[in-house]
């Protein structure tokens, strides 16, 4: 119990709560009453409970990160699903777990560093919650001397919440990078605020502001390499199937691919005509977030147990229209000990199935992690490359490679 943990004069000021959803709000309220910030990993907390907890936290000058908050970095320490990375002066507030991880990872690869990365939970930016923790997080980072650059990461807030956030940002004096994936662009922004359209660009802009290093928006040109790979595909192999462990990575890939491929479908899309009706009957271009509740009910999340998607990879290889399978692999705290090996087993079986049918299959994979993570980034990449996977350096680049393979 919390009472047991706090005995003997222990002065904790943060509680990470991961109990069954129906008990989670009760435990979070206890922590707040004990003057502890809360990281609420649990899901299945009601909207009313979430709002009550966040209103109480705001009154007490505390944070409630969550519910369903999977990633945070507090004073340089990663919590739950997080990566080992260098410390620096960038502070992030994010409403998405793997989206936050991708920004963290890319910042580290670019030579930048993090001091704080505060999750809010995915519902925080809905009108029913009102963006309470996004705004409290912004205030906290603006007030912290160690934070020199702020980054906001989320899918688009609901309109009334978005206006509240922009009104608050007008009061912020520090440089700010805003990445609301698929959000509308804003003109006439204050000089200290810029917008990014992808997670990669958000990281690039943040490091530019922190370090003053040259800002390069575009990824490297790999067209020659891709042309060689494309020659193996048959003319009818023009479809992509993406099987993602990270929901925000799936959404970012969709942003890239819808501009290049027709008829995209996904279970993370809210665009009319793009919403996937039946995940068990895949046709054409499809991106699936396998971390959605429909796939994880009573089962571990695929970041913990990546073998959940092996069947999906093999089935895609048996579809004569599929030319590319797109995969993400997350390493770091909380993730599987050797996720690339599990993915490689699926790739091997898929390649065998495609070869037996007289076809080639191209697998494009991205490993989201740093060179300091315990699973060893280069070893994970080598395992995938050993099965013929085409490796990308970012989630955006993986989607771009998939598009190049499938278009003339």
């Amino acid at each position: 119990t919390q009472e047991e943990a706090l005995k003997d004069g222990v002065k904790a000021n943060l509680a990470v709560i991961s109990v069954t959803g129906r008990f989670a709000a009760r435990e979070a309220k206890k922590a707040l009453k004990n003057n502890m910030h809360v990281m609420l990993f649990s899901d299945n907390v009601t909207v009313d409970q979430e709002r009550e907890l966040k209103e109480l936290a705001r009154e007490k000058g505390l944070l409630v990160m969550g519910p369903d908050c999977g990633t945070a970095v507090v004073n340089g320490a990663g919590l739950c699903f997080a990566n080992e990375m260098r410390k620096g002066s960038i502070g992030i507030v994010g409403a998405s777990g793997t989206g936050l991880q991708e920004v963290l990872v890319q910042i580290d690869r670019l030579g930048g560093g993090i001091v704080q990365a505060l999750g809010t939970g995915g519902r925080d930016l809905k009108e029913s919650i009102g963006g309470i923790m996004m705004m409290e997080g912004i205030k906290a980072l603006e007030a912290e001397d160690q934070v020199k650059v702020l980054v906001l990461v989320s899918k688009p807030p609901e309109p009334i919440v978005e206006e509240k956030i922009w009104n608050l940002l007008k009061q912020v004096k520090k440089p700010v990078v805003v990445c609301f994936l698929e959000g509308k662009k804003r003109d006439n922004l204050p000089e200290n605020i810029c917008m990014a359209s992808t997670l990669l660009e958000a990281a690039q802009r943040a490091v530019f502001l922190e370090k003053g290093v040259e800002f390069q928006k575009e990824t490297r040109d790999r067209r020659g390499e891709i042309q060689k790979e494309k020659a193996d595909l048959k003319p009818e192999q023009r479809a992509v199937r993406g099987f993602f462990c990270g929901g925000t990575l799936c959404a970012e890939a969709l942003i890239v691919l819808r501009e290049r491929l027709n008829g995209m479908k996904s279970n993370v899309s809210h665009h009319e005509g793009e919403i996937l009706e039946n995940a068990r009957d895949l046709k054409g271009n499809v991106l699936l977030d396998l971390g959605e509740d429909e796939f994880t009910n009573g089962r571990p999340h695929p970041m913990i147990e990546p073998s959940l998607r092996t069947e999906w990879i093999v089935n895609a290889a048996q579809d004569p229209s599929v030319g590319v399978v797109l995969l993400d692999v997350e390493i770091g705290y909380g993730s599987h000990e050797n996720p690339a090996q599990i993915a490689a087993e699926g790739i091997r079986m898929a390649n065998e199935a495609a070869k037996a049918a007289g076809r080639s299959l191209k697998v494009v994979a991205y490993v989201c992690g740093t060179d300091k993570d315990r699973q060893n980034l280069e070893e994970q990449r080598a395992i995938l490359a050993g099965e013929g996977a085409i490796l990308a350096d970012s989630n955006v680049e993986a989607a771009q490679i998939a598009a190049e393979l499938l278009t003339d």
Side-chain angles (χ1 to χ4, degrees):
T1 65
Q2 289 189 46
E3 292 77 13
E4 193 75 10
L6 293 170
K7 71 179 184 178
D8 300 328
V10 172
K11 293 183 179 179
N13 69 348
L14 171 66
V16 180
I17 296 173
S18 185
V19 297
T20 303
R22 62 194 176 109
F23 303 121
R26 181 188 70 188
E27 294 303 312
K29 184 177 282 190
K30 279 186 192 177
L32 293 171
K33 288 182 176 179
N34 282 317
N35 294 313
M36 288 189 285
H37 301 282
V38 171
M39 181 174 181
L40 191 50
F41 188 83
S42 308
D43 56 7
N44 292 312
V45 175
T46 70
V47 171
D48 289 342
Q49 288 172 328
E50 179 177 349
R51 186 172 57 250
E52 180 186 0
L53 290 170
K54 290 183 173 180
E55 287 172 347
L56 175 59
R58 181 171 57 189
E59 290 171 12
K60 294 175 71 67
L62 298 169
L63 298 176
V64 172
M65 296 180 280
D68 203 16
C69 179
T71 299
V73 177
V74 178
N75 294 332
L79 300 175
C80 297
F81 291 115
N83 301 90
E84 190 72 46
M85 58 187 306
R86 69 172 57 84
K87 294 182 180 180
S89 59
I90 297 172
I92 307 176
V93 187
S96 59
T98 50
L100 191 54
Q101 275 189 274
E102 172 69 340
V103 175
L104 293 170
V105 163
Q106 294 300 332
I107 285 173
D108 184 82
R109 293 184 186 184
L110 291 164
I114 294 292
V115 59
Q116 310 288 5
L118 308 176
T120 68
R123 290 190 309 211
D124 190 72
L125 297 177
K126 293 187 177 296
E127 185 175 349
S128 54
I129 304 299
I132 294 174
M133 279 303 123
M134 176 69 79
M135 290 189 287
E136 291 302 299
I138 293 169
K139 293 174 188 175
L141 297 182
E142 169 72 353
E144 185 167 344
D145 290 340
Q146 284 183 285
V147 175
K148 305 302 182 187
V149 179
L150 273 65
V151 182
L152 306 185
V153 180
S154 78
K155 295 168 187 173
E158 292 192 351
I160 191 169
V161 178
E162 186 172 5
E163 289 308 311
K164 287 182 182 179
I165 292 170
W166 281 109
N167 287 334
L168 176 60
L169 288 176
K170 292 175 184 177
Q171 303 170 34
V172 173
K173 303 303 182 185
K174 296 176 180 178
V176 182
V177 180
V178 178
C179 180
F180 292 155
L181 289 174
E182 297 192 271
K184 63 182 180 181
K185 293 183 179 179
R186 296 223 165 201
D187 298 321
N188 303 317
L189 292 174
E191 287 187 4
N192 64 314
I193 300 176
C194 62
M195 297 191 72
S197 58
T198 66
L199 303 170
L200 175 62
E201 186 185 350
Q204 291 169 328
R205 290 190 180 279
V207 175
F208 170 73
L209 291 167
E210 183 194 31
K211 300 290 187 183
V213 298
E214 185 178 358
F215 172 63
Q216 294 285 347
K217 182 176 178 180
E218 298 301 323
T219 54
R220 58 196 170 111
D221 188 348
R222 299 177 62 171
R223 284 175 291 184
E225 173 191 352
I226 303 309
Q227 286 298 324
K228 293 179 182 178
E229 297 282 355
K230 186 190 294 190
D232 296 334
L233 297 176
K234 294 181 178 295
E236 61 270 22
Q237 288 182 275
R238 285 293 177 263
V240 62
R241 296 285 159 77
F243 303 115
F244 286 83
C245 299
T248 306
L249 298 187
C250 184
E252 183 183 45
L254 183 60
I255 293 169
V256 174
L257 287 171
R258 72 158 59 97
E259 295 181 359
R260 303 284 301 276
L261 304 178
N262 295 325
M264 293 298 307
K265 299 282 185 180
S266 177
N267 62 336
V268 301
S269 179
H270 299 287
H271 287 218
E272 188 175 349
E274 224 177 54
I275 299 170
L276 184 67
E277 299 294 340
N278 184 1
R280 302 295 173 180
D281 183 23
L282 304 186
K283 296 176 182 177
N285 298 310
V286 180
L287 302 184
L288 271 185
D289 170 19
L290 295 176
E292 284 285 329
D293 290 348
E294 62 180 305
F295 304 115
T296 59
N297 188 17
R299 307 177 72 181
H301 191 280
M303 284 171 63
I304 300 170
E305 187 42 81
S307 63
L308 296 175
R309 66 176 170 185
T310 299
E311 180 183 355
W312 294 92
I313 297 170
V314 176
N315 286 345
Q318 295 167 349
D319 185 334
S321 71
V322 173
V324 175
V325 169
L326 186 58
L327 304 175
D328 61 337
V329 174
E330 286 79 18
I331 60 175
Y333 298 118
S335 292
H336 190 275
E337 291 289 331
N338 193 356
Q341 186 60 52
I342 304 298
E345 292 167 7
I347 294 169
R348 187 181 309 118
M349 288 188 284
N351 283 332
E352 289 172 357
K355 185 177 180 180
R359 298 188 299 273
S360 176
L361 183 72
K362 301 301 174 182
V363 176
V364 182
Y366 165 58
V367 182
C368 180
T370 74
D371 59 6
K372 294 167 277 295
D373 283 324
R374 60 194 176 90
Q375 294 93 339
N376 192 311
L377 176 62
E378 287 310 310
E379 285 184 9
Q380 294 289 295
R381 287 171 57 89
I383 289 169
L384 295 168
E387 295 299 331
I390 303 168
L391 299 177
D393 293 328
S394 69
N395 188 56
V396 164
E397 186 181 47
Q400 291 171 336
I401 290 171
E404 288 292 331
L405 287 167
L406 295 170
T407 54
D408 296 326

